[in-house]
Amino acid sequence: MPYFKSKTGTETLQLFYEDLGNDNPIVFIGGWPLTHQMWEYQLTPLRELGYRCIVYDRRGFGKSDQSLNSYDYDTLAEDLKNLLDELDVNNATLVGFSMGGGEVVRYCSKHACERVSRIILVSSVVPYMLETGDNPDGVPLETFREFDQEIRKDRPGFLANFAKQFYGIGFFSHPVSAGIVEWTNSLAFTASQKAMLSCAESFSQTDFRNELSAITVPALIIHGDEDKTVPIKATGEVAAKLIKGALYKVYPGAPHGLFFTHKNILNRDIISFISAGVVDENDILEEGYEILPGNEPLIIRDGEQE
C-alpha cells in the first residue's frame, strides 16, 4: 500500500494515499470524521474521465498513523505540503470538504498556494465555526463540548446520531439509504478517539478569517442551505465575501453530506470549474441561476435537485 512520510516537528508519521490517473491533478481532502473513501462517488467518474485523483487519510484516520499530540491546522497543512512535495504535484486543484477546507486555506496562507492552480471548498468550516460576539451565526461552544463528552462516553452512539444530521435524515426525510449510513459510520470507526477529539477542537475553534486574503488562485465555494452541521451563514456566505473573486454556489435543500446526496451536481461543477475556471454562462442561463446583485461573480443555484 502507498504511504508517504510526513515529518512535522520531531514526529514522523506514515500517511496513506492513493494516486491514480495522469492529467489535471485533483487533491481531495476529506472531512471529519471520515477517510479518503468518502470520495468514492467523485473518484470513479472523474478518473474515468481522465483526471488524476489524489486522496489521503488525515493523520489518525483510516490507514494513516496516529499522532499522540499534533492535530492543529499548522501540522495538518504540513501533511498536505509533504504529500504534494512527495508526489511532485503541480497545477493542482485542491478540494477540501468540511474540516478539509481548513487544510486548504492554511496551506495557501503558509505556502502562497504553491503547486496549486485553483481551490474548491465544499461544505467547508472556513472561515470560522465558533459562535462569538463577532461571529453570531456560528455554533455555540457548548455544542462542541457536548461532542467531546459524547465521543468519550459512547463514540459509536455519537456517530450513529451524527450521521443522521450529516445527511439531513428526519422523520419524513430519508435522502440516503441505511446502507450509506452504515458505510459512513464504518469509515468513522477507523479513526482513533484521540484524533477525533483533537480534530474536533481544531476545526471548531480555528479562525481563518484573516487568512482568506492569501487565496490568490480561482476559488469555488459550494454549500448546502440545509446544512445543519456546518451553518452556511457563518461559513460559506462569509468565505464567499472574503475570498476575492470567489464563485459561490448554494445547493438548495442540500445537507452537509452533499458529496453523496448531490454527487452528480457536485461532480459536474468540479469538472466545469477545473476545465473552464468558471461556470459556463450559457449553463447559468439555461438552469435558472441568479447573479447576486452587487456581488459578482458570486452565483446561486436555483432549486436544482438530482
Side-chain angles (χ1 to χ4, degrees), residues 160-220:
N161 291 324
F162 183 77
K164 295 178 181 178
Q165 175 179 282
F166 193 88
Y167 290 116
I169 297 172
F171 190 77
F172 296 107
S173 175
H174 300 280
V176 300
S177 67
I180 288 296
V181 173
E182 292 175 5
W183 170 71
T184 302
N185 287 338
S186 73
L187 301 184
F189 289 151
T190 65
S192 74
Q193 188 182 59
K194 167 64 177 178
M196 280 191 65
L197 293 169
S198 296
C199 284
E201 181 178 358
S202 293
F203 76 68
S204 65
Q205 299 183 46
T206 302
D207 187 349
F208 296 97
R209 288 177 292 184
N210 292 331
E211 299 180 50
L212 296 189
S213 61
I215 306 299
T216 56
V217 296
L220 170 61

Side-chain angles (χ1 to χ4, degrees), residues 214-277:
I215 306 299
T216 56
V217 296
L220 170 61
I221 299 168
I222 295 172
H223 219 105
D225 65 3
E226 289 297 327
D227 191 332
K228 305 302 182 184
T229 305
V230 177
I232 188 173
K233 286 188 175 295
T235 54
E237 287 188 10
V238 180
K241 295 174 182 177
L242 295 180
I243 299 177
K244 185 177 180 179
L247 187 66
Y248 179 40
K249 306 189 73 176
V250 177
Y251 290 180
H256 189 57
L258 59 79
F259 63 88
F260 179 78
T261 62
H262 290 63
K263 56 184 177 295
N264 291 341
I265 301 171
L266 176 62
N267 294 347
R268 188 195 62 191
D269 286 343
I270 290 173
I271 294 168
S272 177
F273 184 65
I274 291 174
S275 61

Side-chain angles (χ1 to χ4, degrees), residues 1-303:
M1 291 189 293
Y3 287 86
F4 70 98
K5 289 183 179 181
S6 185
K7 181 175 176 56
T8 55
T10 60
E11 187 175 52
T12 300
L13 300 182
Q14 295 267 26
L15 304 186
F16 178 84
Y17 75 95
E18 288 186 0
D19 178 10
L20 294 176
N22 298 308
D23 300 320
N24 296 314
I26 310 172
V27 181
F28 294 88
I29 302 99
W32 180 93
L34 305 181
T35 72
H36 76 279
Q37 291 173 285
M38 64 159 280
W39 295 111
E40 175 177 334
Y41 295 92
Q42 283 67 54
L43 299 181
T44 298
L46 268 62
R47 284 168 174 167
E48 288 175 345
L49 290 172
Y51 290 93
R52 178 186 179 187
C53 295
I54 302 168
V55 290
Y56 68 102
D57 285 339
R58 183 181 286 110
R59 55 175 55 208
F61 293 78
K63 300 174 183 177
S64 289
D65 289 348
Q66 64 171 300
S67 169
L68 295 177
N69 43 46
S70 300
Y71 292 92
D72 59 276
Y73 269 110
D74 280 344
T75 301
L76 298 176
E78 286 305 301
D79 288 339
L80 174 57
K81 182 181 187 303
N82 289 330
L83 172 67
L84 298 178
D85 290 347
E86 172 73 18
L87 300 181
D88 193 24
V89 177
N90 291 293
N91 297 315
T93 298
L94 299 184
V95 182
F97 172 78
S98 193
M99 181 180 182
E103 274 110 319
V104 171
V105 171
R106 181 58 55 85
Y107 173 82
C108 281
S109 69
K110 290 189 67 176
H111 302 289
C113 296
E114 181 182 3
R115 298 182 180 271
V116 175
S117 60
R118 58 184 61 81
I119 68 168
I120 303 175
L121 303 177
V122 182
S123 305
S124 170
V125 300
V126 171
Y128 196 23
M129 275 277 286
L130 192 65
E131 180 187 60
T132 60
D134 62 351
N135 194 45
D137 295 314
V139 178
L141 179 59
E142 184 58 34
T143 298
F144 295 115
R145 287 175 174 165
E146 290 174 359
F147 279 11
D148 188 276
Q149 293 171 1
E150 291 172 14
I151 292 169
R152 292 176 187 273
K153 179 182 177 181
D154 179 3
R155 188 159 66 115
F158 166 81
L159 290 171
N161 291 324
F162 183 77
K164 295 178 181 178
Q165 175 179 282
F166 193 88
Y167 290 116
I169 297 172
F171 190 77
F172 296 107
S173 175
H174 300 280
V176 300
S177 67
I180 288 296
V181 173
E182 292 175 5
W183 170 71
T184 302
N185 287 338
S186 73
L187 301 184
F189 289 151
T190 65
S192 74
Q193 188 182 59
K194 167 64 177 178
M196 280 191 65
L197 293 169
S198 296
C199 284
E201 181 178 358
S202 293
F203 76 68
S204 65
Q205 299 183 46
T206 302
D207 187 349
F208 296 97
R209 288 177 292 184
N210 292 331
E211 299 180 50
L212 296 189
S213 61
I215 306 299
T216 56
V217 296
L220 170 61
I221 299 168
I222 295 172
H223 219 105
D225 65 3
E226 289 297 327
D227 191 332
K228 305 302 182 184
T229 305
V230 177
I232 188 173
K233 286 188 175 295
T235 54
E237 287 188 10
V238 180
K241 295 174 182 177
L242 295 180
I243 299 177
K244 185 177 180 179
L247 187 66
Y248 179 40
K249 306 189 73 176
V250 177
Y251 290 180
H256 189 57
L258 59 79
F259 63 88
F260 179 78
T261 62
H262 290 63
K263 56 184 177 295
N264 291 341
I265 301 171
L266 176 62
N267 294 347
R268 188 195 62 191
D269 286 343
I270 290 173
I271 294 168
S272 177
F273 184 65
I274 291 174
S275 61
V278 295
V279 174
D280 185 83
E281 186 173 332
N282 292 324
D283 188 39
I284 294 173
L285 296 176
E286 288 174 4
E287 299 193 16
Y289 287 87
E290 176 186 354
I291 302 295
L292 299 182
N295 209 16
E296 296 184 3
L298 309 185
I299 64 175
I300 184 169
R301 183 178 300 282
D302 182 14

